[in-house]
Amino acid sequence: MKRILVTLPVTEEQKRQYSNIAPEAEFIYCRKEEVTAGLAARVTAVIGNIAPSLLAVNQGIEWVQLNSAGTDGYLAEGVLSGSAVLTNATGAYGTAIAEHMTGQLLMLLKKFPVYLENQKNRIWKDAGRVRPIIGSNILIVGAGDIGMEFASRMKAFGAYITGIRRTVREKPDCMDEMDTAENLEKRLAQADVVAVCLPGTRETFHLFSERQFAAMKEGAVFLNVGRGNIVDTEALVKVLKEGKLWGASLDVFEQEPLPEDSELWSCPNLLITPHVSGGFHLPYTVDRIVEISLKNLTAYIHHEEYVSVVDRATGYKVSGSL
C-alpha cells in the first residue's frame, strides 16, 4: 500500500485532488515540525520538506517531492536510497521572488529606506540623486525560473539583461545576452545591478568572495535571493563599509536566523529580509507547488514520467526534464 506524507498547507479541495489520483493510497497530513522518526519510517513517499535526517531512517522511500527548488541536505549520502526519485518545486517560486527582488531594487535605487527613516524622525529632507532601472545593465547569475521571471520584469523597465548559466542554451526573449560562469568577473565589471538566484551547491559555495566583489563596478547594486553560502559574508561587509556599492539586499544568509551580533545589521545601504521572498507567503506559490506535486503523484501511482526531477550529481533539475 502507498502511504504518502504531505506537509504542505493544502486546502480540503487539494486533498480531494490528491485522493482522486491515488484513491487506494493512505494520505497523512501534518506540519513538517510534527513529523517524527516513527512516522517517517512508515511512509513510501513524501510531499514537502522534512528534515533529511528523518528521511534517512527510511531507505524504502520511493519518491520525495520537495516544496523548495533548492535541494540543500537532501543529496547527502545516506539520506535517500539510490532508487528513490527526488523532485523539486522548480517553477513555483519565480513570481513571488521576482516581485520581492523588484521591490528591493526599487527601494535601493530610489533611496526609500532613507526617506522612511526621515519619516520616522519627522525630517523633511531631499536625499539627493537616485538611479534608474531604464538603461542599466543587469547581470542575473542563475538564469533559471526565478532569474527569468526577474529578467522579464527588468526588461519591462527598459534594462539591458545578461544571464549567467552553467551552460548556454538558446537565448530567451527576456535576455539580451547569455554567458557562462567562466566569464563571471568580466560580466561583473559591466553590471550596474548583480542579482544572484543560484541554488546552494558545492560549486556555488562562496562564489561571491573578495575577488568577485573587487571585480564589480563602483556603485553597483547587489541582490541575493539564492542561498546564503553563495556569498562570503565578511567580503560583502567589507565592500559595503568601504562604500564601493550603491547598496545591497539579502534575503538569505550563511547563518539563519542572522545572529544579533552579525556585522550585517549595521552595514550601510543594506536591506535585510529574513528569508521570506519565497516560502508560503504568496498563496499562488502554494498552488503552483501543489500543481507540480499532483503531476508527480500521477507519475508515482501510474509509473509515468516525473516533472522537475533532481539530478543527484548537481542538485539542479535534470536537463530536459519538464
Side-chain angles (χ1 to χ4, degrees), residues 35-48:
V35 179
T36 63
L39 175 56
R42 295 193 300 113
V43 301
T44 61
V46 178
I47 299 175

Side-chain angles (χ1 to χ4, degrees), residues 199-221:
T201 67
R202 290 187 298 271
E203 290 73 23
T204 63
F205 180 79
H206 280 192
L207 178 64
F208 279 83
S209 56
E210 282 193 40
R211 180 172 171 174
Q212 286 71 39
F213 286 120
M216 289 175 63
K217 285 176 69 172
E218 195 83 22
V221 174

Side-chain angles (χ1 to χ4, degrees), residues 105 108-109 111 129 131 188-189 191-196 208-224 231-250 264 267-271:
L105 179 58
L108 288 166
L109 294 179
K111 296 186 175 178
R129 74 181 184 91
R131 297 259 300 275
L188 288 172
D192 300 301
V193 177
V194 177
V196 181
F208 279 83
S209 56
E210 282 193 40
R211 180 172 171 174
Q212 286 71 39
F213 286 120
M216 289 175 63
K217 285 176 69 172
E218 195 83 22
V221 174
F222 180 77
L223 312 174
N224 185 21
V231 176
D232 180 335
T233 302
E234 291 185 11
L236 178 59
V237 167
K238 183 172 182 288
V239 293
L240 283 170
K241 290 192 172 180
E242 289 173 350
K244 177 174 181 175
L245 302 182
W246 177 275
S249 172
L250 303 177
L264 287 170
C267 279
N269 302 317
L270 173 63
L271 295 178

Side-chain angles (χ1 to χ4, degrees), residues 4-160:
I4 303 166
L5 172 63
V6 182
T7 64
L8 300 179
V10 292
T11 64
E12 290 303 315
E13 172 56 29
Q14 288 166 337
K15 289 180 181 179
R16 281 192 289 273
Q17 290 176 315
Y18 283 135
S19 294
N20 288 340
I21 292 171
E24 303 301 320
E26 176 187 354
F27 288 90
I28 304 166
Y29 296 95
C30 69
R31 295 168 59 242
K32 66 178 183 179
E33 295 83 5
E34 299 170 345
V35 179
T36 63
L39 175 56
R42 295 193 300 113
V43 301
T44 61
V46 178
I47 299 175
N49 289 29
I50 66 173
S53 58
L54 292 175
L55 289 175
V57 305
N58 183 355
Q59 291 299 292
I61 287 179
E62 299 164 335
W63 164 54
V64 174
Q65 169 67 60
L66 299 178
N67 60 245
S68 62
T71 57
D72 311 43
Y74 295 97
L75 303 179
E77 186 175 352
V79 173
L80 293 172
S81 70
S83 61
V85 177
L86 179 64
T87 55
N88 67 8
T90 295
Y93 291 95
T95 295
I97 297 180
E99 289 185 355
H100 182 97
M101 296 167 71
T102 301
Q104 296 291 70
L105 179 58
L106 284 168
M107 286 188 72
L108 288 166
L109 294 179
K110 306 306 178 185
K111 296 186 175 178
F112 288 165
V114 175
Y115 289 114
L116 284 170
E117 190 61 30
N118 287 348
Q119 179 181 334
K120 289 179 187 176
N121 295 305
R122 302 175 183 239
I123 296 172
W124 182 277
K125 183 180 179 182
D126 188 326
R129 74 181 184 91
V130 295
R131 297 259 300 275
I133 294 178
I134 188 170
S136 63
N137 289 309
I138 297 182
L139 179 66
I140 300 177
V141 186
D145 172 60
I146 295 167
M148 301 273 270
E149 288 281 354
F150 182 60
S152 296
R153 287 156 178 76
M154 294 300 99
K155 197 68 179 168
F157 276 96
Y160 187 90

